[in-house]
Amino acid sequence: MPPSPSNSAANKSAALSPDIYRALFEQSADGLLLYNTRGALLDCNQRAVDYLNTTRAVLLASGLMAFVEADAPAAAAAEPTTEAEMHELLVACAQSGEARSWRWHGQQAGGGDR
């Protein structure tokens, strides 16, 4: 007898354990930052730490905007300049479904540009 649809869905969700999500997060080729709904940085993967040439503790304590160059060229009005502005833009995009991007000019903790 073939499995019922509800059993099949239950088996799939059981296979996608938190460990799998953690592995995907940690092994991503991209630097990933995880924020809560209030805009607080909760977690980051090692790629983000390496990219910014910092430590996990420093990045989590200071947030991404601490690595944005203060003297970066003037950006469009819609580009974030603070963690709060970045959070507002991300929430608005998530709620509207609109795809957005903006320029980001950052620096490594050691002073190198990215």
Side-chain angles (χ1 to χ4, degrees), residues 45-61:
N45 67 357
Q46 188 60 44
R47 182 67 69 160
V49 170
D50 294 344
Y51 186 75
L52 294 168
N53 191 32
T54 189
T55 66
R56 177 182 167 80
V58 168
L59 181 54
L60 291 176

Side-chain angles (χ1 to χ4, degrees), residues 96-111:
S96 69
E98 177 186 1
R100 295 276 314 265
S101 65
W102 55 84
R103 281 188 43 197
W104 182 78
H105 186 89
Q107 62 185 6
Q108 294 180 324

Side-chain angles (χ1 to χ4, degrees), residues 3-83:
S4 70
S6 61
N7 275 347
S8 178
N11 290 338
K12 285 181 185 175
S13 66
L16 298 177
S17 71
D19 293 338
I20 290 172
Y21 291 108
R22 172 55 62 182
L24 289 170
F25 182 77
E26 291 299 337
Q27 296 174 14
S28 173
D30 296 319
L32 301 177
L33 303 171
L34 179 65
Y35 287 86
N36 68 13
T37 57
R38 294 181 307 278
L41 180 58
L42 301 176
D43 203 358
C44 61
N45 67 357
Q46 188 60 44
R47 182 67 69 160
V49 170
D50 294 344
Y51 186 75
L52 294 168
N53 191 32
T54 189
T55 66
R56 177 182 167 80
V58 168
L59 181 54
L60 291 176
S62 59
L64 177 63
M65 297 309 283
F67 294 89
V68 174
E69 289 187 29
D71 60 349
E79 291 186 6
T81 58
T82 66
E83 284 299 309

